[in-house]
Amino acid sequence: MSELKKIYNPNREFAANARIKNMCEYKDLVEHATEDYEGFWDTYASSKIEWMKPYSKVLDESKAPFSSWFIGGKLNVSTQCIDRHLDKRKNKAAIIFEGDRGDKQIITYLELSYNVNRFANLLKNKFNVKKGDRVIIYMPMIPEAAYAMLACARIGAIHSIVFGGFSAEALRDRIQDAEAKVVITADGAFRKTKPYMLKPAVDQALQAETTVEKVLVVERNGEDVEWVAGRDYSYNELIVDESSKCEAEMMDSEDPLFLLYTSGSTGKPKGVQHNSAGYILWAQMTMEWVFDVKENDTYWCTADVGWITGHTYIVYGPLAMGATTVMFEGVPTYPDAGRAWRMVEEYKINQFYTAPTAIRVLHKMGENEPAKYDLSSLKVLGTVGEPIDPPAWKWYYEDVGNSKCSIVDTYWQTETGGHVVSPLPGATPIKAGCATLPLPGIMAEILDPKTGEKVGAGESGYMCITKPWPAMIRGVWGDPDRYVKSYFGDVKKDGKAVYFTGDGANYDEDGYITITGRTDDVINVSGHRMGTAEVEAAIKSHAKVAEVAVVGRPHELKGEGIFAYIVMKGEDNLAEEIELIKEINTNIKQEIGNIAICDDMVFVPGLPKTRSGKIMRRILRSIAKGEEITQDISTLEDPSVVSAIEKCIKG
Ligand code: WTA
């Protein structure tokens, strides 16, 4: 039997204890949601959230595709994550932190409460941050990043985390788009034991005109940083004066909780807005269902808080359910490829969640490392961010999980807030490289974009979600039209516009879903979304570049690599090209960050364009993959350009 079709049924013993134990229970939940959608969500919203004031209605679709959930309900997300656990779990570890250099901290729920309340008071009293104000968080992976998020939630401020790998210019764009009042950052942090810096990027970003009034700087690596008097303040100095009691702001179900900027196929990154109740409900429910974390378990997700996975599955989800979450500043392959497995052994990790890229790197660099450690605590292994290839899946399953752990291949997006398609550990029979089935309550379907009908087994279609769900994106910050156009413009089912994820997918003969990748101009590099338009803009900013087109191509470790076709102004000159590549890479680093550096750059005489001037990216994708060109090129303005490009690549 081919590896792809083989069905694994690991962990029966564990399943007996799981929250959803078997496929019958799964089907019952799906049926409940299908027959009584609002009743289904009401069951969970009423029991999982500690409401300050109950809601009067579950779902309001009258302004679709803008939907509202749990109408009139009041709550505070920080009390969901902290205060309500203090009765039963005040001395339980909320966060276990391991720093890059091996330094450790264990923060109990009581300590978390103490730190978050003081942080909230600082923002409120010293920086005058009020409900609805935007706060940018540009931080390393240290506990203060989680305190900052929860402190914002406590006072009703809207946080927007910018991944620390983004450049000053990318940071500035986000600060300006969000019209932020405050930036929270750190001097820097450590990577592979060496200090690196963050504060200088903030200084540079704030040279532009912005609405930022104050910058709060957490000390992490102790390196010297510039200080702007009256704007910059030291967290470590100010925090000591603050009281550990800060009343939680009463927030409406639909008050915004955070913005997170993510790449789309066109234009600048968009500020994906998530609101309070629906988001925190689904973050908790999926934590419970998909990872099945038990009271004494230790859960570790290796993401960075700068991405949605870090938001939902390092901070909000685990803390909402009262779990112990591990936060790791370092690199899983440093000082050697056993670092991650050593941590699993040391902390007796029960659920481990990472990206296929990390699995491929760990596999390549340390195929036999897992065997050197006691990994018997592991029960569930998760993957996220990109399709996982069967060889990586198999190594993860057999060598890391000892053929006993369920692999949960979780498919979701920044916009979905939490998982939407995933196996349930122990219950769902699994297949390599397959996200399996929609979670109960999520009406995910693969549709034919032309007819809006569900596709048959083996046919490809568009991954859609046909009903609103509580954790869905509420809007694109400052641009309601873009929300409608980006997500509800492509597919109609029964005449109604439905949410389209941007991904292609197919069903197998068991109805299992395999995600095949983006259908738009978004590249998935190491599980990070990159818009080709953004990378093209950065390359075009070089004075010698006349035209550019960027596409993705398969990459052994990163999933996809970035491939740029560049047309230079003036004469082609080999000696100059090497310099040019360096300079263009510098531009990319400045405008976006290291994560957008191109894997390939080729200088070509022209780009394949239609007579109306549209670049035929499909052809460029095929060439980048080294495929035979099967597309009809006769409609091109200049068909000879294709062979000229191929010649450049071979050369
Ligand atoms: C891709 C990350 C295949 C997909 C949580 C999606 C996946 C994009 C999977 C979202 C998976 C995520 N299998 N592809 N299990 N999970 N993707 O917003 O293309 O950073 O649209 O959210 O990652 O990336 P984002």
Side-chain angles (χ1 to χ4, degrees):
M1 188 183 274
S2 105
E3 206 48 59
L4 281 171
K5 291 197 172 155
K6 191 165 160 191
I7 296 177
Y8 297 82
N9 268 308
N11 235 337
R12 303 317 298 168
E13 187 189 331
F14 159 73
N17 228 335
R19 286 180 173 83
I20 300 176
K21 296 181 179 51
N22 50 50
M23 289 313 277
C24 288
E25 290 193 7
Y26 167 77
K27 284 180 189 142
D28 284 349
L29 290 169
V30 170
E31 206 175 285
H32 183 187
T34 311
E35 281 170 10
D36 177 15
Y37 195 59
E38 292 187 26
F40 172 88
W41 286 109
D42 190 24
T43 310
Y44 294 99
S46 58
S47 60
K48 301 265 173 210
I49 290 182
E50 203 164 276
W51 295 97
M52 291 171 166
K53 185 175 164 258
Y55 49 88
S56 54
K57 187 172 162 41
V58 173
L59 170 63
D60 178 1
E61 280 189 87
S62 60
K63 297 193 186 77
F66 295 89
S67 305
S68 315
W69 286 86
F70 314 121
I71 316 302
K74 306 279 181 205
L75 77 164
N76 183 287
V77 167
S78 86
T79 67
Q80 296 299 308
C81 293
I82 307 170
D83 306 51
R84 65 167 165 168
H85 304 309
L86 296 179
D87 265 0
K88 274 198 265 163
R89 311 186 172 105
K90 63 180 186 295
N91 295 323
K92 172 175 173 173
I95 299 175
I96 295 179
F97 170 70
E98 172 148 326
D100 177 75
R101 296 176 159 189
D103 46 319
K104 299 173 181 23
Q105 275 183 64
I106 297 182
I107 299 125
T108 65
Y109 273 94
L110 192 59
E111 287 170 313
L112 181 65
S113 166
Y114 177 68
N115 289 315
V116 169
N117 277 274
R118 291 201 308 168
F119 209 134
N121 274 328
L122 192 167
L123 294 177
K124 204 157 87 169
N125 302 333
K126 301 246 165 60
F127 289 1
N128 194 27
V129 177
K130 296 200 172 67
K131 180 174 169 178
D133 286 342
R134 273 82 58 210
V135 173
I136 296 280
I137 301 177
Y138 186 64
M139 290 272 273
M141 279 292 290
I142 54 176
E144 286 80 2
Y147 305 161
M149 294 163 78
L150 292 160
C152 288
R154 194 153 192 97
I155 60 176
I158 305 168
H159 63 69
S160 183
I161 307 189
V162 179
F163 171 58
F166 279 124
S167 69
E169 291 185 29
L171 174 63
R172 180 206 56 207
D173 287 348
R174 287 154 175 81
I175 290 172
Q176 287 177 332
D177 190 78
E179 295 180 288
K181 184 171 189 173
V182 166
V183 177
I184 304 172
T185 188
D187 43 7
F190 300 101
R191 189 181 301 120
K192 298 187 178 177
T193 72
K194 307 245 172 5
Y196 73 90
M197 302 307 290
L198 288 168
K199 171 73 166 42
V202 176
D203 294 334
Q204 203 188 322
L206 295 184
Q207 279 170 11
E209 198 171 319
T210 72
T211 43
V212 171
E213 293 168 11
K214 300 269 192 287
V215 175
L216 187 65
V217 186
V218 178
E219 189 180 313
R220 171 64 184 151
N221 65 14
E223 297 288 311
D224 287 337
V225 288
E226 306 248 329
W227 216 253
V228 177
R231 186 197 74 184
D232 299 349
Y233 293 84
S234 157
Y235 166 84
N236 306 66
E237 280 172 22
L238 294 190
I239 198 73
V240 288
D241 299 333
E242 296 300 336
S243 117
S244 58
K245 247 190 148 150
C246 173
E247 194 160 343
E249 189 78 33
M250 196 197 272
M251 304 294 284
D252 191 85
S253 292
E254 290 293 351
D255 277 333
L257 176 65
F258 65 83
L259 309 179
L260 184 57
Y261 284 81
T262 192
S263 297
S265 41
T266 54
K268 291 211 168 183
K270 41 194 177 207
V272 171
Q273 180 186 330
H274 280 291
N275 290 359
S276 303
Y279 172 80
I280 199 65
L281 174 65
W282 191 233
Q284 179 177 343
M285 286 174 69
T286 48
M287 263 315 288
E288 293 177 355
W289 282 351
V290 175
F291 296 114
D292 203 41
V293 178
K294 296 291 198 304
E295 194 60 49
N296 195 38
D297 283 354
T298 304
Y299 158 90
W300 179 20
C301 165
T302 68
D304 187 286
V305 288
W307 308 110
I308 190 70
T309 306
H311 284 63
T312 310
Y313 298 111
I314 294 179
V315 179
Y316 286 117
L319 298 177
M321 74 171 294
T324 298
T325 179
V326 174
M327 237 179 138
F328 177 46
E329 178 191 34
V331 179
T333 49
Y334 187 85
D336 56 67
R339 174 80 178 262
W341 316 130
R342 207 151 50 241
M343 281 177 65
V344 169
E345 176 178 288
E346 183 174 348
Y347 297 111
K348 300 190 184 346
I349 304 287
N350 305 101
Q351 296 84 11
F352 178 73
Y353 191 29
T354 196
T357 296
I359 298 167
R360 287 191 289 265
V361 171
L362 288 166
H363 182 191
K364 187 165 179 216
M365 291 179 63
E367 182 161 13
N368 301 315
E369 286 295 319
K372 297 184 188 161
Y373 300 93
D374 176 5
L375 306 183
S376 60
S377 56
L378 288 171
K379 296 187 280 192
V380 180
L381 297 172
T383 119
V384 58
E386 42 176 328
I388 177 164
D389 42 304
W393 192 98
K394 228 170 146 246
W395 179 75
Y396 201 31
Y397 182 77
E398 288 171 359
D399 291 52
V400 179
N402 196 18
S403 305
K404 283 202 301 227
C405 299
S406 285
I407 306 254
V408 289
D409 180 350
T410 62
Y411 167 73
W412 60 297
Q413 312 179 288
T414 305
E415 294 86 346
T416 66
H419 305 145
V420 287
V421 179
S422 171
L424 296 163
T428 316
I430 48 181
K431 298 183 194 182
C434 178
T436 73
L437 298 165
L439 290 171
I442 302 293
M443 301 305 176
E445 278 187 311
I446 308 172
L447 302 178
D448 179 327
K450 292 205 183 81
T451 61
E453 303 276 339
K454 195 168 163 172
V455 300
E459 294 167 9
S460 9
Y462 280 22
M463 192 71 241
C464 297
I465 306 178
T466 59
K467 267 184 188 291
W469 64 104
M472 78 186 289
I473 173 178
R474 289 305 194 275
V476 172
W477 186 251
D479 199 345
D481 289 345
R482 198 169 172 200
Y483 164 77
V484 179
K485 277 200 205 104
S486 305
Y487 304 105
F488 296 90
D490 296 277
V491 189
K492 278 190 175 156
K493 188 187 174 181
D494 302 329
K496 191 183 130 206
V498 295
Y499 177 87
F500 171 45
T501 58
D503 286 303
N506 57 57
Y507 293 112
D508 71 5
E509 62 283 7
D510 296 317
Y512 274 25
I513 294 169
T514 296
I515 305 293
T516 49
R518 305 284 307 188
T519 61
D520 54 11
D521 291 327
V522 172
I523 313 180
N524 193 328
V525 187
S526 302
H528 302 318
R529 268 162 78 166
M530 272 324 343
T532 48
E534 287 166 71
V535 184
E536 286 168 2
I539 296 176
K540 239 185 249 164
S541 71
H542 192 287
K544 291 206 176 119
V545 172
E547 275 188 302
V548 54
V550 163
V551 297
R553 62 122 169 123
H555 187 284
E556 191 199 352
L557 293 175
K558 298 181 185 178
E560 274 190 295
I562 304 179
F563 195 117
Y565 295 89
I566 300 171
V567 183
M568 278 165 70
K569 287 181 190 158
E571 283 293 293
D572 202 5
N573 174 342
L574 187 65
E576 238 185 45
E577 279 179 10
I578 295 168
E579 260 326 288
L580 212 57
I581 288 178
K582 276 197 215 143
E583 288 168 15
I584 291 173
N585 273 331
T586 309
N587 285 17
I588 294 174
K589 276 189 218 167
Q590 272 169 6
E591 293 199 12
I592 307 173
N594 282 332
I595 51 171
I597 292 283
C598 296
D599 298 275
D600 307 273
M601 270 187 217
V602 283
F603 295 96
V604 293
L607 299 172
K609 286 186 195 158
T610 59
R611 291 198 186 100
S612 58
K614 197 170 166 257
I615 297 173
M616 293 283 283
R617 283 167 196 283
R618 261 186 311 130
I619 295 178
L620 294 174
R621 274 188 219 115
S622 300
I623 299 175
K625 281 185 196 161
E627 286 172 356
E628 231 15 81
I629 306 292
T630 52
Q631 293 95 337
D632 176 15
I633 58 169
S634 64
T635 56
L636 291 182
E637 191 187 37
D638 173 14
S640 72
V641 85
V642 174
S643 52
I645 293 175
E646 286 179 311
K647 222 159 104 199
C648 290
I649 291 184
K650 287 196 187 107

